[in-house]
Amino acid sequence: MAKRTAEGEAIIIKKYANRRLYNTDTSSYITLDDLAKMVRENVDFHVLDAKTGDDITHTILTQIIVEEESHGTQMLPVSFLRDLISMYGNSMQAMMPSYLEASMTNLRKNREQLQAAFAKGIESNPLAKMAEANFKMMQNAAEAFIPATRKPARDDQSDDLAQMRQQMAEMQKKLDEMSK
């Protein structure tokens, strides 16, 4: 859960025409780096255009990602960026936000489980469990896109992998057909 002000409200950041950001909680000007730090510290905030009052949080967060990607090590592979851009304007665009959000939630959950496993000194292989959970999530996603491809579960993992590859190929074929 994100940290909030003493009153339980999200912190309001105002963006002025001169591109300066003003933190109303601390009554001080801040930078994009400060906002990135607030995100990492799980501080809840909304960025509002000072003139219109419009919520521009999405735009500012996107700007932070662009800044982070342009300095130092990049996190987002070019292939991912190309795939993401290609989703704009096609039938997949509407479902992508919820899919990406669910994927990030799953990633956070896996990270927390891994940290807990290491903290407890568990000697079992938590990475194998995470891989299995990710495989099941991808399989469920493929089945959600193409319900007709559901088949009974098999014990052999190589059969599951072959089935997943087939489903992904069928999904790609349908996407190609829809984009024509």
Side-chain angles (χ1 to χ4, degrees):
M1 185 169 180
K3 298 174 189 171
R4 298 176 181 268
T5 63
E7 299 83 34
E9 299 289 320
I11 295 171
I12 301 297
I13 308 296
K14 292 185 179 180
K15 182 174 187 286
Y16 289 94
N18 63 2
R19 298 173 37 175
R20 294 191 75 186
L21 298 165
Y22 184 76
N23 183 334
T24 60
D25 188 52
T26 61
S27 300
S28 62
Y29 286 99
I30 61 173
T31 64
L32 287 177
D33 287 338
D34 295 323
L35 287 179
K37 183 179 177 188
M38 290 170 68
V39 169
R40 288 182 191 102
E41 293 173 351
N42 206 25
V43 175
D44 192 18
F45 63 85
H46 294 285
V47 182
L48 305 178
D49 183 289
K51 184 176 182 181
T52 65
D54 292 341
D55 187 337
I56 57 171
T57 307
H58 184 273
T59 302
I60 296 299
L61 292 174
T62 304
Q63 189 176 352
I64 290 170
I65 291 170
V66 169
E67 289 290 320
E68 291 286 338
E69 286 289 308
S70 66
H71 304 344
T73 306
Q74 295 159 346
M75 185 186 326
L76 303 173
V78 171
S79 60
F80 173 81
L81 294 171
R82 289 179 193 270
D83 288 342
L84 190 61
I85 291 168
S86 72
M87 296 292 179
Y88 284 94
N90 74 23
S91 60
M92 299 295 289
Q93 183 175 350
M95 64 189 344
M96 284 307 295
S98 58
Y99 176 77
L100 291 173
E101 199 167 336
S103 295
M104 287 303 293
T105 299
N106 192 39
L107 179 64
R108 273 191 303 275
K109 185 177 116 184
N110 285 341
R111 182 186 66 201
E112 290 166 5
Q113 288 173 346
L114 183 60
Q115 288 172 338
F118 284 124
K120 291 179 181 179
I122 296 176
E123 294 190 12
S124 64
N125 187 352
L127 294 174
K129 290 179 184 177
M130 286 175 32
E132 183 179 332
N134 288 337
F135 175 78
K136 287 180 183 177
M137 183 186 75
M138 290 300 292
Q139 187 176 24
N140 290 340
E143 289 174 357
F145 292 129
I146 311 169
T149 63
R150 287 186 182 156
K151 295 180 182 174
R154 297 181 180 135
D155 292 332
D156 188 7
Q157 281 189 328
S158 63
D159 289 341
D160 288 342
L161 184 57
Q163 179 184 2
M164 183 179 219
R165 285 184 177 139
Q166 178 187 359
Q167 289 173 346
M168 294 300 286
E170 290 171 5
M171 185 172 23
Q172 184 63 48
K173 182 180 174 185
K174 287 192 179 205
L175 286 172
D176 292 342
E177 290 172 2
M178 289 178 3
S179 65
K180 289 181 182 178

